[in-house]
Amino acid sequence: MRSPVNREPPAPATGWQHELSNAFRTLGELLKFLEMDTPDDEHAELSDSPFPFKVTRSYADRMRKQDPLDPLFLQVFPDKLEKQDDPQYVSDPVGDMASLVAPGLIHKYEGRVLLVTTGACAIHCRYCFRREFSYGDFHLSRQWEARAIDYVRSDTDIKEVILSGGDPLVLSDHRLHELIDQFAQIPHLRRIRIHSRLPVVLPSRITDTFLETLSQCHVPVILVIHANHANEISADVRLALTALSDAGATLLNQAVLLRRVNDSVSALCDLSEALFDSGVMPYYLHLLDKVSGSRHFDIPKELALDLYDQLRRQLPGYLVPRLVRENEGQPYKSLLGTVSN
Ligand SMILES: *Cc1c(COP(=O)(O)O)cnc(C)c1O
Ligand code: SF4
């Protein structure tokens, strides 16, 4: 029987949606694909819950076979070290929950609000600061969406809406179009920003329909992607990014500084260069948010500052991302490595 309240047209399973439902859901599957040994029980348990294993095949295709130290593999590998307890690593390290002004809407910084459109992602990065949030199955309802739009409409100081998640590009083209369109109609809104890792982990998500939404939008759209290593920027990712630029989006990247993944000057330089080659400017390099279970990705601040200093020597200023850390209660993300005297 059809539900009378569900007016959404049934979403056709397009290429990318099919690809998404075909993602690797167990570590065992991925290890087999990478020609590595099957995991033991402890790994199997970790990849189960509460932050389950998930990797797109497209992303896995860029991992080196038989290499447990591959920088892409390490980002999704549920290491037993996740279980080590440390009181410094907590469930809400950035204090986002304190800034909720409506369901899914976080108003933490002046002039910008962040809307959690869905809890779903195409990939589960083991260091994610949201890994502890119970909103894995969160979906912004029509009612909450209307409340978020009302909130932005009634506060003329808000200049920018950030669609975030989870990953907002997990939403259908139709839903995204509606959302972007409604925000674009608010007269005082100057920009719409989208934070998404999908152009990197599922480049087929950049459909012609989505590109059309972007090119039709009369408000500037900024797309902040998330890549941590140059190996993530494959030929199809580069094509997707070029198409996004051509549709008029301003492309920026945020990365997280991660032990064994990109904690070397060469890895960080290569990332900036690869991004630039695809029309993306480096924006933020985040120090790890201290979320439970992520300690094995953390690197000491002194080492981070040292790496950053080297990076600044080797790259033109515009290819150096801002090194930042999010401190609870601060009015902006704290800049590091900028005091030179
Ligand atoms: C990071 C963040 C923003 C955006 O900050 P920018 O410095 O403008 O990139 C906005 N809201 C929240 C909750 C954030 O975490
Ligand atoms: S929110 Fe971003 S970092 Fe976290 S799991 Fe999703 S894609 Fe990865």
PDB file of all heavy atoms in Angstrom, residues 153-187:
ATOM      1  N   ARG A 153      16.216  32.174   7.057  1.00  0.00           N
ATOM      2  CA  ARG A 153      15.460  33.303   6.509  1.00  0.00           C
ATOM      3  C   ARG A 153      15.283  34.409   7.548  1.00  0.00           C
ATOM      4  O   ARG A 153      15.298  35.593   7.233  1.00  0.00           O
ATOM      5  CB  ARG A 153      14.092  32.805   6.028  1.00  0.00           C
ATOM      6  CG  ARG A 153      13.409  33.765   5.077  1.00  0.00           C
ATOM      7  CD  ARG A 153      12.071  33.240   4.616  1.00  0.00           C
ATOM      8  NE  ARG A 153      12.178  32.203   3.591  1.00  0.00           N
ATOM      9  CZ  ARG A 153      11.548  31.030   3.647  1.00  0.00           C
ATOM     10  NH1 ARG A 153      10.771  30.723   4.665  1.00  0.00           N
ATOM     11  NH2 ARG A 153      11.694  30.157   2.680  1.00  0.00           N
ATOM     12  N   SER A 154      15.130  34.010   8.809  1.00  0.00           N
ATOM     13  CA  SER A 154      14.821  35.005   9.829  1.00  0.00           C
ATOM     14  C   SER A 154      16.069  35.645  10.442  1.00  0.00           C
ATOM     15  O   SER A 154      15.962  36.574  11.226  1.00  0.00           O
ATOM     16  CB  SER A 154      13.962  34.374  10.925  1.00  0.00           C
ATOM     17  OG  SER A 154      14.724  33.373  11.556  1.00  0.00           O
ATOM     18  N   ASP A 155      17.252  35.162  10.099  1.00  0.00           N
ATOM     19  CA  ASP A 155      18.473  35.763  10.638  1.00  0.00           C
ATOM     20  C   ASP A 155      19.282  36.353   9.481  1.00  0.00           C
ATOM     21  O   ASP A 155      20.027  35.661   8.792  1.00  0.00           O
ATOM     22  CB  ASP A 155      19.288  34.706  11.388  1.00  0.00           C
ATOM     23  CG  ASP A 155      20.537  35.301  12.045  1.00  0.00           C
ATOM     24  OD1 ASP A 155      20.907  36.448  11.706  1.00  0.00           O
ATOM     25  OD2 ASP A 155      21.137  34.614  12.883  1.00  0.00           O
ATOM     26  N   THR A 156      19.143  37.667   9.336  1.00  0.00           N
ATOM     27  CA  THR A 156      19.762  38.310   8.165  1.00  0.00           C
ATOM     28  C   THR A 156      21.291  38.407   8.291  1.00  0.00           C
ATOM     29  O   THR A 156      21.962  38.847   7.363  1.00  0.00           O
ATOM     30  CB  THR A 156      19.176  39.719   7.934  1.00  0.00           C
ATOM     31  OG1 THR A 156      19.296  40.447   9.156  1.00  0.00           O
ATOM     32  CG2 THR A 156      17.725  39.654   7.525  1.00  0.00           C
ATOM     33  N   ASP A 157      21.831  38.030   9.448  1.00  0.00           N
ATOM     34  CA  ASP A 157      23.284  38.027   9.593  1.00  0.00           C
ATOM     35  C   ASP A 157      23.924  36.796   8.943  1.00  0.00           C
ATOM     36  O   ASP A 157      25.143  36.754   8.764  1.00  0.00           O
ATOM     37  CB  ASP A 157      23.682  38.051  11.073  1.00  0.00           C
ATOM     38  CG  ASP A 157      23.436  39.422  11.689  1.00  0.00           C
ATOM     39  OD1 ASP A 157      23.342  40.402  10.918  1.00  0.00           O
ATOM     40  OD2 ASP A 157      23.313  39.502  12.919  1.00  0.00           O
ATOM     41  N   ILE A 158      23.094  35.821   8.631  1.00  0.00           N
ATOM     42  CA  ILE A 158      23.653  34.608   8.042  1.00  0.00           C
ATOM     43  C   ILE A 158      23.919  34.830   6.555  1.00  0.00           C
ATOM     44  O   ILE A 158      23.024  35.170   5.795  1.00  0.00           O
ATOM     45  CB  ILE A 158      22.708  33.394   8.241  1.00  0.00           C
ATOM     46  CG1 ILE A 158      22.528  33.125   9.738  1.00  0.00           C
ATOM     47  CG2 ILE A 158      23.257  32.152   7.532  1.00  0.00           C
ATOM     48  CD1 ILE A 158      21.502  32.063  10.048  1.00  0.00           C
ATOM     49  N   LYS A 159      25.176  34.665   6.174  1.00  0.00           N
ATOM     50  CA  LYS A 159      25.563  34.902   4.776  1.00  0.00           C
ATOM     51  C   LYS A 159      25.800  33.611   4.023  1.00  0.00           C
ATOM     52  O   LYS A 159      25.855  33.583   2.808  1.00  0.00           O
ATOM     53  CB  LYS A 159      26.855  35.720   4.735  1.00  0.00           C
ATOM     54  CG  LYS A 159      26.704  37.127   5.275  1.00  0.00           C
ATOM     55  CD  LYS A 159      27.965  37.919   4.991  1.00  0.00           C
ATOM     56  CE  LYS A 159      27.812  39.363   5.384  1.00  0.00           C
ATOM     57  NZ  LYS A 159      27.652  39.497   6.858  1.00  0.00           N
ATOM     58  N   GLU A 160      26.001  32.545   4.775  1.00  0.00           N
ATOM     59  CA  GLU A 160      26.417  31.303   4.122  1.00  0.00           C
ATOM     60  C   GLU A 160      25.811  30.086   4.809  1.00  0.00           C
ATOM     61  O   GLU A 160      25.830  29.989   6.035  1.00  0.00           O
ATOM     62  CB  GLU A 160      27.951  31.226   4.184  1.00  0.00           C
ATOM     63  CG  GLU A 160      28.531  30.017   3.506  1.00  0.00           C
ATOM     64  CD  GLU A 160      30.059  30.115   3.346  1.00  0.00           C
ATOM     65  OE1 GLU A 160      30.655  31.166   3.659  1.00  0.00           O
ATOM     66  OE2 GLU A 160      30.650  29.120   2.912  1.00  0.00           O
ATOM     67  N   VAL A 161      25.276  29.192   4.005  1.00  0.00           N
ATOM     68  CA  VAL A 161      24.772  27.920   4.520  1.00  0.00           C
ATOM     69  C   VAL A 161      25.730  26.834   4.050  1.00  0.00           C
ATOM     70  O   VAL A 161      26.138  26.819   2.891  1.00  0.00           O
ATOM     71  CB  VAL A 161      23.355  27.621   3.992  1.00  0.00           C
ATOM     72  CG1 VAL A 161      22.985  26.167   4.229  1.00  0.00           C
ATOM     73  CG2 VAL A 161      22.339  28.517   4.670  1.00  0.00           C
ATOM     74  N   ILE A 162      26.083  25.961   4.968  1.00  0.00           N
ATOM     75  CA  ILE A 162      26.971  24.853   4.624  1.00  0.00           C
ATOM     76  C   ILE A 162      26.162  23.565   4.687  1.00  0.00           C
ATOM     77  O   ILE A 162      25.642  23.204   5.735  1.00  0.00           O
ATOM     78  CB  ILE A 162      28.153  24.771   5.614  1.00  0.00           C
ATOM     79  CG1 ILE A 162      28.931  26.087   5.611  1.00  0.00           C
ATOM     80  CG2 ILE A 162      29.061  23.589   5.265  1.00  0.00           C
ATOM     81  CD1 ILE A 162      29.934  26.219   6.753  1.00  0.00           C
ATOM     82  N   LEU A 163      26.037  22.910   3.552  1.00  0.00           N
ATOM     83  CA  LEU A 163      25.373  21.614   3.545  1.00  0.00           C
ATOM     84  C   LEU A 163      26.426  20.571   3.878  1.00  0.00           C
ATOM     85  O   LEU A 163      27.436  20.454   3.194  1.00  0.00           O
ATOM     86  CB  LEU A 163      24.750  21.323   2.176  1.00  0.00           C
ATOM     87  CG  LEU A 163      23.746  22.354   1.658  1.00  0.00           C
ATOM     88  CD1 LEU A 163      23.195  21.922   0.307  1.00  0.00           C
ATOM     89  CD2 LEU A 163      22.611  22.561   2.656  1.00  0.00           C
ATOM     90  N   SER A 164      26.175  19.865   4.983  1.00  0.00           N
ATOM     91  CA  SER A 164      27.161  18.896   5.425  1.00  0.00           C
ATOM     92  C   SER A 164      26.455  17.617   5.821  1.00  0.00           C
ATOM     93  O   SER A 164      25.306  17.380   5.458  1.00  0.00           O
ATOM     94  CB  SER A 164      27.958  19.506   6.588  1.00  0.00           C
ATOM     95  OG  SER A 164      28.989  18.645   7.007  1.00  0.00           O
ATOM     96  N   GLY A 165      27.123  16.784   6.583  1.00  0.00           N
ATOM     97  CA  GLY A 165      26.518  15.497   6.936  1.00  0.00           C
ATOM     98  C   GLY A 165      27.279  14.850   8.079  1.00  0.00           C
ATOM     99  O   GLY A 165      27.802  15.572   8.937  1.00  0.00           O
ATOM    100  N   GLY A 166      27.459  13.587   7.973  1.00  0.00           N
ATOM    101  CA  GLY A 166      27.422  12.688   6.818  1.00  0.00           C
ATOM    102  C   GLY A 166      27.887  13.370   5.532  1.00  0.00           C
ATOM    103  O   GLY A 166      28.764  14.197   5.569  1.00  0.00           O
ATOM    104  N   ASP A 167      27.302  12.959   4.457  1.00  0.00           N
ATOM    105  CA  ASP A 167      27.684  13.541   3.180  1.00  0.00           C
ATOM    106  C   ASP A 167      26.459  13.957   2.384  1.00  0.00           C
ATOM    107  O   ASP A 167      25.658  13.106   1.984  1.00  0.00           O
ATOM    108  CB  ASP A 167      28.528  12.543   2.381  1.00  0.00           C
ATOM    109  CG  ASP A 167      29.367  13.227   1.323  1.00  0.00           C
ATOM    110  OD1 ASP A 167      28.777  14.012   0.529  1.00  0.00           O
ATOM    111  OD2 ASP A 167      30.580  13.000   1.274  1.00  0.00           O
ATOM    112  N   PRO A 168      26.295  15.279   2.150  1.00  0.00           N
ATOM    113  CA  PRO A 168      25.078  15.753   1.492  1.00  0.00           C
ATOM    114  C   PRO A 168      24.902  15.203   0.073  1.00  0.00           C
ATOM    115  O   PRO A 168      23.773  15.111  -0.410  1.00  0.00           O
ATOM    116  CB  PRO A 168      25.244  17.276   1.460  1.00  0.00           C
ATOM    117  CG  PRO A 168      26.697  17.517   1.669  1.00  0.00           C
ATOM    118  CD  PRO A 168      27.212  16.389   2.490  1.00  0.00           C
ATOM    119  N   LEU A 169      26.008  14.822  -0.572  1.00  0.00           N
ATOM    120  CA  LEU A 169      25.860  14.312  -1.940  1.00  0.00           C
ATOM    121  C   LEU A 169      25.340  12.877  -1.985  1.00  0.00           C
ATOM    122  O   LEU A 169      25.140  12.315  -3.068  1.00  0.00           O
ATOM    123  CB  LEU A 169      27.162  14.453  -2.725  1.00  0.00           C
ATOM    124  CG  LEU A 169      27.549  15.888  -3.110  1.00  0.00           C
ATOM    125  CD1 LEU A 169      28.694  15.894  -4.107  1.00  0.00           C
ATOM    126  CD2 LEU A 169      26.384  16.663  -3.687  1.00  0.00           C
ATOM    127  N   VAL A 170      25.068  12.309  -0.813  1.00  0.00           N
ATOM    128  CA  VAL A 170      24.391  11.018  -0.764  1.00  0.00           C
ATOM    129  C   VAL A 170      22.903  11.218  -1.115  1.00  0.00           C
ATOM    130  O   VAL A 170      22.230  10.303  -1.571  1.00  0.00           O
ATOM    131  CB  VAL A 170      24.568  10.385   0.642  1.00  0.00           C
ATOM    132  CG1 VAL A 170      23.601   9.249   0.870  1.00  0.00           C
ATOM    133  CG2 VAL A 170      26.002   9.898   0.831  1.00  0.00           C
ATOM    134  N   LEU A 171      22.418  12.443  -0.921  1.00  0.00           N
ATOM    135  CA  LEU A 171      21.022  12.750  -1.274  1.00  0.00           C
ATOM    136  C   LEU A 171      20.835  12.665  -2.790  1.00  0.00           C
ATOM    137  O   LEU A 171      21.778  12.835  -3.558  1.00  0.00           O
ATOM    138  CB  LEU A 171      20.646  14.168  -0.818  1.00  0.00           C
ATOM    139  CG  LEU A 171      20.772  14.487   0.664  1.00  0.00           C
ATOM    140  CD1 LEU A 171      20.347  15.929   0.916  1.00  0.00           C
ATOM    141  CD2 LEU A 171      19.926  13.547   1.504  1.00  0.00           C
ATOM    142  N   SER A 172      19.587  12.447  -3.188  1.00  0.00           N
ATOM    143  CA  SER A 172      19.303  12.344  -4.622  1.00  0.00           C
ATOM    144  C   SER A 172      19.469  13.707  -5.298  1.00  0.00           C
ATOM    145  O   SER A 172      19.404  14.760  -4.647  1.00  0.00           O
ATOM    146  CB  SER A 172      17.880  11.849  -4.834  1.00  0.00           C
ATOM    147  OG  SER A 172      16.968  12.852  -4.443  1.00  0.00           O
ATOM    148  N   ASP A 173      19.662  13.699  -6.584  1.00  0.00           N
ATOM    149  CA  ASP A 173      19.776  14.936  -7.355  1.00  0.00           C
ATOM    150  C   ASP A 173      18.558  15.824  -7.136  1.00  0.00           C
ATOM    151  O   ASP A 173      18.665  17.041  -6.989  1.00  0.00           O
ATOM    152  CB  ASP A 173      19.881  14.610  -8.850  1.00  0.00           C
ATOM    153  CG  ASP A 173      21.294  14.182  -9.236  1.00  0.00           C
ATOM    154  OD1 ASP A 173      22.249  14.609  -8.566  1.00  0.00           O
ATOM    155  OD2 ASP A 173      21.429  13.408 -10.199  1.00  0.00           O
ATOM    156  N   HIS A 174      17.404  15.183  -7.093  1.00  0.00           N
ATOM    157  CA  HIS A 174      16.144  15.905  -6.942  1.00  0.00           C
ATOM    158  C   HIS A 174      16.081  16.650  -5.598  1.00  0.00           C
ATOM    159  O   HIS A 174      15.782  17.837  -5.525  1.00  0.00           O
ATOM    160  CB  HIS A 174      14.994  14.891  -7.060  1.00  0.00           C
ATOM    161  CG  HIS A 174      13.657  15.462  -6.815  1.00  0.00           C
ATOM    162  ND1 HIS A 174      13.024  16.290  -7.717  1.00  0.00           N
ATOM    163  CD2 HIS A 174      12.820  15.333  -5.756  1.00  0.00           C
ATOM    164  CE1 HIS A 174      11.864  16.647  -7.234  1.00  0.00           C
ATOM    165  NE2 HIS A 174      11.702  16.087  -6.039  1.00  0.00           N
ATOM    166  N   ARG A 175      16.420  15.929  -4.546  1.00  0.00           N
ATOM    167  CA  ARG A 175      16.372  16.502  -3.196  1.00  0.00           C
ATOM    168  C   ARG A 175      17.398  17.632  -3.065  1.00  0.00           C
ATOM    169  O   ARG A 175      17.123  18.704  -2.516  1.00  0.00           O
ATOM    170  CB  ARG A 175      16.654  15.386  -2.183  1.00  0.00           C
ATOM    171  CG  ARG A 175      16.475  15.783  -0.735  1.00  0.00           C
ATOM    172  CD  ARG A 175      15.024  15.682  -0.296  1.00  0.00           C
ATOM    173  NE  ARG A 175      14.748  16.470   0.890  1.00  0.00           N
ATOM    174  CZ  ARG A 175      14.869  16.036   2.142  1.00  0.00           C
ATOM    175  NH1 ARG A 175      15.224  14.796   2.374  1.00  0.00           N
ATOM    176  NH2 ARG A 175      14.617  16.839   3.163  1.00  0.00           N
ATOM    177  N   LEU A 176      18.586  17.422  -3.601  1.00  0.00           N
ATOM    178  CA  LEU A 176      19.623  18.446  -3.525  1.00  0.00           C
ATOM    179  C   LEU A 176      19.212  19.696  -4.276  1.00  0.00           C
ATOM    180  O   LEU A 176      19.422  20.813  -3.817  1.00  0.00           O
ATOM    181  CB  LEU A 176      20.919  17.914  -4.144  1.00  0.00           C
ATOM    182  CG  LEU A 176      21.888  17.210  -3.222  1.00  0.00           C
ATOM    183  CD1 LEU A 176      23.019  16.622  -4.031  1.00  0.00           C
ATOM    184  CD2 LEU A 176      22.433  18.167  -2.171  1.00  0.00           C
ATOM    185  N   HIS A 177      18.618  19.478  -5.435  1.00  0.00           N
ATOM    186  CA  HIS A 177      18.185  20.606  -6.240  1.00  0.00           C
ATOM    187  C   HIS A 177      17.189  21.464  -5.447  1.00  0.00           C
ATOM    188  O   HIS A 177      17.314  22.687  -5.384  1.00  0.00           O
ATOM    189  CB  HIS A 177      17.558  20.136  -7.547  1.00  0.00           C
ATOM    190  CG  HIS A 177      17.113  21.256  -8.428  1.00  0.00           C
ATOM    191  ND1 HIS A 177      17.963  21.860  -9.332  1.00  0.00           N
ATOM    192  CD2 HIS A 177      15.939  21.928  -8.506  1.00  0.00           C
ATOM    193  CE1 HIS A 177      17.327  22.847  -9.932  1.00  0.00           C
ATOM    194  NE2 HIS A 177      16.092  22.901  -9.449  1.00  0.00           N
ATOM    195  N   GLU A 178      16.232  20.795  -4.830  1.00  0.00           N
ATOM    196  CA  GLU A 178      15.223  21.508  -4.025  1.00  0.00           C
ATOM    197  C   GLU A 178      15.852  22.291  -2.881  1.00  0.00           C
ATOM    198  O   GLU A 178      15.510  23.439  -2.631  1.00  0.00           O
ATOM    199  CB  GLU A 178      14.248  20.501  -3.428  1.00  0.00           C
ATOM    200  CG  GLU A 178      13.204  20.034  -4.377  1.00  0.00           C
ATOM    201  CD  GLU A 178      12.155  19.180  -3.664  1.00  0.00           C
ATOM    202  OE1 GLU A 178      12.371  18.806  -2.487  1.00  0.00           O
ATOM    203  OE2 GLU A 178      11.145  18.895  -4.293  1.00  0.00           O
ATOM    204  N   LEU A 179      16.762  21.625  -2.211  1.00  0.00           N
ATOM    205  CA  LEU A 179      17.406  22.238  -1.047  1.00  0.00           C
ATOM    206  C   LEU A 179      18.206  23.472  -1.463  1.00  0.00           C
ATOM    207  O   LEU A 179      18.085  24.557  -0.881  1.00  0.00           O
ATOM    208  CB  LEU A 179      18.320  21.177  -0.419  1.00  0.00           C
ATOM    209  CG  LEU A 179      18.663  21.261   1.047  1.00  0.00           C
ATOM    210  CD1 LEU A 179      17.420  21.346   1.915  1.00  0.00           C
ATOM    211  CD2 LEU A 179      19.480  20.016   1.440  1.00  0.00           C
ATOM    212  N   ILE A 180      19.022  23.321  -2.475  1.00  0.00           N
ATOM    213  CA  ILE A 180      19.857  24.420  -2.957  1.00  0.00           C
ATOM    214  C   ILE A 180      18.975  25.564  -3.457  1.00  0.00           C
ATOM    215  O   ILE A 180      19.202  26.737  -3.160  1.00  0.00           O
ATOM    216  CB  ILE A 180      20.820  23.920  -4.062  1.00  0.00           C
ATOM    217  CG1 ILE A 180      21.874  22.996  -3.440  1.00  0.00           C
ATOM    218  CG2 ILE A 180      21.492  25.081  -4.799  1.00  0.00           C
ATOM    219  CD1 ILE A 180      22.789  22.304  -4.424  1.00  0.00           C
ATOM    220  N   ASP A 181      17.930  25.194  -4.163  1.00  0.00           N
ATOM    221  CA  ASP A 181      17.022  26.179  -4.721  1.00  0.00           C
ATOM    222  C   ASP A 181      16.327  27.004  -3.626  1.00  0.00           C
ATOM    223  O   ASP A 181      16.242  28.233  -3.721  1.00  0.00           O
ATOM    224  CB  ASP A 181      15.979  25.422  -5.559  1.00  0.00           C
ATOM    225  CG  ASP A 181      15.248  26.344  -6.499  1.00  0.00           C
ATOM    226  OD1 ASP A 181      15.943  27.146  -7.147  1.00  0.00           O
ATOM    227  OD2 ASP A 181      14.006  26.259  -6.570  1.00  0.00           O
ATOM    228  N   GLN A 182      15.892  26.327  -2.580  1.00  0.00           N
ATOM    229  CA  GLN A 182      15.203  27.047  -1.501  1.00  0.00           C
ATOM    230  C   GLN A 182      16.132  28.000  -0.777  1.00  0.00           C
ATOM    231  O   GLN A 182      15.763  29.125  -0.450  1.00  0.00           O
ATOM    232  CB  GLN A 182      14.602  26.055  -0.507  1.00  0.00           C
ATOM    233  CG  GLN A 182      13.419  25.314  -1.087  1.00  0.00           C
ATOM    234  CD  GLN A 182      12.772  24.440  -0.029  1.00  0.00           C
ATOM    235  OE1 GLN A 182      11.980  24.901   0.775  1.00  0.00           O
ATOM    236  NE2 GLN A 182      13.151  23.176  -0.029  1.00  0.00           N
ATOM    237  N   PHE A 183      17.354  27.546  -0.518  1.00  0.00           N
ATOM    238  CA  PHE A 183      18.303  28.450   0.144  1.00  0.00           C
ATOM    239  C   PHE A 183      18.675  29.608  -0.780  1.00  0.00           C
ATOM    240  O   PHE A 183      18.799  30.746  -0.337  1.00  0.00           O
ATOM    241  CB  PHE A 183      19.550  27.692   0.600  1.00  0.00           C
ATOM    242  CG  PHE A 183      19.354  26.933   1.880  1.00  0.00           C
ATOM    243  CD1 PHE A 183      19.497  25.564   1.943  1.00  0.00           C
ATOM    244  CD2 PHE A 183      19.002  27.618   3.047  1.00  0.00           C
ATOM    245  CE1 PHE A 183      19.306  24.871   3.134  1.00  0.00           C
ATOM    246  CE2 PHE A 183      18.806  26.939   4.250  1.00  0.00           C
ATOM    247  CZ  PHE A 183      18.958  25.560   4.283  1.00  0.00           C
ATOM    248  N   ALA A 184      18.836  29.311  -2.056  1.00  0.00           N
ATOM    249  CA  ALA A 184      19.253  30.351  -3.001  1.00  0.00           C
ATOM    250  C   ALA A 184      18.221  31.488  -3.082  1.00  0.00           C
ATOM    251  O   ALA A 184      18.563  32.607  -3.454  1.00  0.00           O
ATOM    252  CB  ALA A 184      19.485  29.741  -4.381  1.00  0.00           C
ATOM    253  N   GLN A 185      16.989  31.182  -2.707  1.00  0.00           N
ATOM    254  CA  GLN A 185      15.944  32.214  -2.778  1.00  0.00           C
ATOM    255  C   GLN A 185      15.947  33.163  -1.582  1.00  0.00           C
ATOM    256  O   GLN A 185      15.223  34.153  -1.572  1.00  0.00           O
ATOM    257  CB  GLN A 185      14.574  31.542  -2.881  1.00  0.00           C
ATOM    258  CG  GLN A 185      14.307  30.974  -4.263  1.00  0.00           C
ATOM    259  CD  GLN A 185      13.013  30.205  -4.305  1.00  0.00           C
ATOM    260  OE1 GLN A 185      12.089  30.500  -3.562  1.00  0.00           O
ATOM    261  NE2 GLN A 185      12.949  29.207  -5.167  1.00  0.00           N
ATOM    262  N   ILE A 186      16.714  32.850  -0.567  1.00  0.00           N
ATOM    263  CA  ILE A 186      16.771  33.738   0.604  1.00  0.00           C
ATOM    264  C   ILE A 186      17.651  34.929   0.243  1.00  0.00           C
ATOM    265  O   ILE A 186      18.839  34.764  -0.064  1.00  0.00           O
ATOM    266  CB  ILE A 186      17.317  32.974   1.833  1.00  0.00           C
ATOM    267  CG1 ILE A 186      16.378  31.806   2.159  1.00  0.00           C
ATOM    268  CG2 ILE A 186      17.474  33.910   3.025  1.00  0.00           C
ATOM    269  CD1 ILE A 186      16.852  30.906   3.279  1.00  0.00           C
ATOM    270  N   PRO A 187      17.088  36.144   0.258  1.00  0.00           N
ATOM    271  CA  PRO A 187      17.803  37.293  -0.307  1.00  0.00           C
ATOM    272  C   PRO A 187      19.146  37.597   0.363  1.00  0.00           C
ATOM    273  O   PRO A 187      20.085  37.987  -0.322  1.00  0.00           O
ATOM    274  CB  PRO A 187      16.831  38.469  -0.096  1.00  0.00           C
ATOM    275  CG  PRO A 187      15.504  37.859   0.211  1.00  0.00           C
ATOM    276  CD  PRO A 187      15.742  36.496   0.741  1.00  0.00           C
TER     277      PRO A 187
END
